[in-house]
Amino acid sequence: MRVGIVGAGSMGRVHAVGWRATGAELVGVMSDPFSSAEALAAAHGVRAFDDLDALIAEVDVVDLCVPTDLHHPMTLRAAAAGRHVVCEKPIALRLDHAREMIDACERVGVRLFVAQVLRFFPQYRAAAEAVRAGHLGELGVLRFRRVAYPPHQGQASWFLDESRSGGMLCDLMVHDFDYARSIAGEVTRVYARSLRGNDPDAARDYALVTLRFASGAMALVEGGWAYPPGVFRTGFDLAGRDGLIEWDSDGSETIRRYLLPTGSSGAAAVGLPLTVFAEDPYTTEIKHVHAALRDGTPFDVTPQDATEALRIALAARASLREGRAVDPAEVA
Amino acid sequence: MRVGILSFAHVHAEGYVGNLRAARGVELVGFGDDDAARGARFAEAYGLRHLGDRDALLAEGLDAVLVCSENARHREDVEACAQMGVHVLCEKPIATSLADAEAMRSACEAAGVTFMTAFPMRFDASVRAIKDALDAGELGALYAVNGVNHSEIPKGHRAWFADRSLAGGGAVMDHTVHLTDLLRWMTGAEVEEVYAEVGNPFYPDDVDVDTAGLVTVGLSNGVFAAIDCSWSRPTTYPRWGHLKMDLVGERGALALDAFAQVLTARSPRLPRTPTWIGWGADPNQAMVEAFLDAVRDGRSPPVSWRDGYEALRVALACYASADSGQPVRWTHG
């Protein structure tokens, strides 16, 4: 299996490490600017490409680690060439684009995997397994936290441009929307308040989103690009009729560093909620994709799941715009 | 100052016994409770005189009373205290309807007695430190607050907490008011928007009140906040629950976990394993003393009737929002 990565930012880098841990052949990296493709390609001893079609021509799998607005056109191009597609989350910026991506892949018989990586984080997996095993009984109130610092890249990051990333709700909170739906089922009502909802020009964003599920369960999802550089807090609290699971990143660090300051904050351009893992969850994810493509087995996350997670995020954005609770089914 | 406790219906009455005994210049005369069995039990437990029902208590010629009856009975109790010229510290929520709350204000104003709402968290050392940090500008402009005041179902302590006719509701009525009050107090702004998801996922076969609530409030200064008021902690939890606030602002965030000061204890002699044994200061002590000081000095109380009223209004608005599935909005004239 020959793989090409498109995009050499923070996700391109972690996906490259992931592919190198599989039996697949990482053929090369394409990016704009070309210099970042060269740097990532050199790090892995593979080829750098400056043309998408040239990369597509050389591979079986195209792994899109590009800004979200490029997911739709690039997926269509890769699918038209008969290539499997791995695509970073969120699947797209619009539901019709997501459907077109799914249709395009189905039409030519290639597979589409959307990298909702949270499903591969071991603490989230363990909690999902506990829920499915029935340890909590019927779910009641779920709480999720994902608050980091604003992405920065010297100049303005594309993440902060809502027309490219969908904003914090689509880019960051979509992780928890997908995960919440994966354990609690379909969402029937979404209500949101956010900093950018109050002030579209706010330098940072922070949102509190309430979800109601068809089952009667409810969730409070907290998300933000709001903390100082380097700070990233995540957590969940799952309360059911018969039990409770609590986890938060504040309380489960195996290593705490109390070191003299080195002068700079040293924060990465984009925060990742990583800790000491037996295996990097991004690598777990890529291994899963590789095995599923190799063996023809199902993906743990379907593109339909990713589309529904986007639908919840778009419903939250509609709630912000309209100041009311929104049924995700209303979102076109 | 001669002080009494009116009813042991509310669990907080038990703590107030110690608070009143520790307060200077207070004679804790006894308590009134029309439940004879409950009266006998707590008279025994605390070595306190059970004087009989409310009228028997008020016949003692008291200066002040701590009203700890069921929420729906606050009105008649407060009106009776006011009629006797007795100052009142009233448990929260102050009533189960705005009309009852208004009647309580009228009665106290007409009688010229002090009415203070029992919001102890304003007197908590960590909460005060957060308020001081906000006032000093540490956070810059405050943008949003994620508040948690979830707990176990209090039914194990007192059944009426889950009885709609006496409590006025369930988890939302019980727990929304504390964080609402802290938000109003910390910001100086008023709540003008409430959205709430409300349900009974935890004890559908046992109680017919709400056991879960996720509330979003919008304040008049643009700050928005979530309040999780759910009875979502299992009864095996190491303690009743939590009060937490994550405050996000211009310069980052402040995270408050007001009851983090605990010992984690394990023993077959403890009711839960583990048990969190708190070692932080008791905010009720400072609250009770602040009430007594206000009465003694003839000053207005540090937590007013209005504070109790506005918090009740938010709790009631949660139910209205849940009924309509949409936010409820109002303006403060």
Side-chain angles (χ1 to χ4, degrees), chain B residues 275-294:
Chain B
T275 293
W276 288 337
I277 299 174
W279 51 264
D282 174 14
N284 286 317
Q285 187 66 42
M287 176 184 73
V288 167
E289 291 185 10
F291 166 68
L292 298 170
D293 287 347

Side-chain angles (χ1 to χ4, degrees), chain B residues 39-322:
Chain B
R41 180 153 64 98
F42 287 106
E44 163 89 26
Y46 292 98
L48 197 60
R49 288 170 63 210
H50 176 216
L51 299 158
D53 64 7
R54 177 180 68 213
D55 293 340
L57 174 73
L58 292 176
E60 294 284 323
L62 304 173
D63 298 300
V65 157
L66 277 50
V67 172
C68 303
S69 51
E70 300 88 341
N71 302 340
R73 301 184 61 184
H74 288 174
R75 176 181 173 169
E76 55 178 295
D77 287 343
V78 169
E79 285 175 339
C81 290
Q83 213 159 33
M84 298 294 283
V86 174
H87 305 284
V88 172
L89 175 65
C90 182
E91 261 307 327
K92 47 55 53 176
I94 61 171
T96 57
S97 73
L98 294 179
D100 281 357
E102 294 276 11
M104 291 154 63
R105 175 181 68 167
S106 301
C108 291
E109 277 182 3
V113 300
T114 296
F115 180 99
M116 176 164 150
T117 305
F119 281 139
M121 293 314 293
R122 285 200 196 191
F123 301 88
D124 177 81
S126 303
V127 171
R128 295 192 90 97
I130 289 282
K131 171 84 158 69
D132 290 345
L134 289 175
D135 290 349
E138 274 187 51
L139 194 55
L142 176 65
Y143 296 147
V145 181
N146 191 1
V148 178
N149 192 193
H150 56 199
S151 75
E152 64 184 2
I153 190 169
K155 184 167 77 82
H157 305 286
R158 300 288 195 279
W160 69 266
F161 276 101
D163 180 333
R164 186 178 304 280
S165 64
L166 291 170
V172 169
M173 206 61 171
D174 188 29
H175 273 168
T176 306
V177 292
H178 284 295
L179 282 169
T180 297
D181 182 62
L182 293 185
L183 290 166
R184 291 181 62 252
W185 180 58
M186 288 177 175
T187 62
E190 291 293 352
V191 174
E192 295 194 330
E193 176 189 287
V194 170
Y195 179 82
E197 291 291 354
V198 177
N200 179 15
F202 295 115
Y203 299 93
D205 304 327
D206 306 314
V207 302
D208 73 348
V209 294
D210 45 292
T211 56
L214 291 175
V215 179
T216 307
V217 299
L219 288 112
S220 49
N221 62 351
V223 169
F224 58 93
I227 300 173
D228 182 346
C229 58
S230 306
W231 290 339
S232 55
R233 303 304 90 180
T235 51
T236 52
Y237 206 65
R239 187 187 57 206
W240 57 269
H242 293 280
L243 188 141
K244 299 181 183 182
M245 301 173 89
D246 272 26
L247 304 100
V248 176
E250 199 177 356
R251 302 192 62 250
L254 296 169
L256 165 74
D257 180 355
F259 294 98
Q261 294 176 326
V262 296
L263 310 176
T264 301
R266 289 175 172 81
S267 164
R269 297 188 186 86
L270 289 167
R272 309 165 186 223
T273 296
T275 293
W276 288 337
I277 299 174
W279 51 264
D282 174 14
N284 286 317
Q285 187 66 42
M287 176 184 73
V288 167
E289 291 185 10
F291 166 68
L292 298 170
D293 287 347
V295 169
R296 192 179 287 121
D297 303 341
R299 285 184 286 112
S300 54
V303 191
S304 66
W305 171 87
R306 171 65 62 182
D307 295 323
Y309 178 89
E310 293 295 341
L312 172 62
R313 183 178 189 171
V314 169
L316 294 171
C318 290
Y319 294 113
S321 169

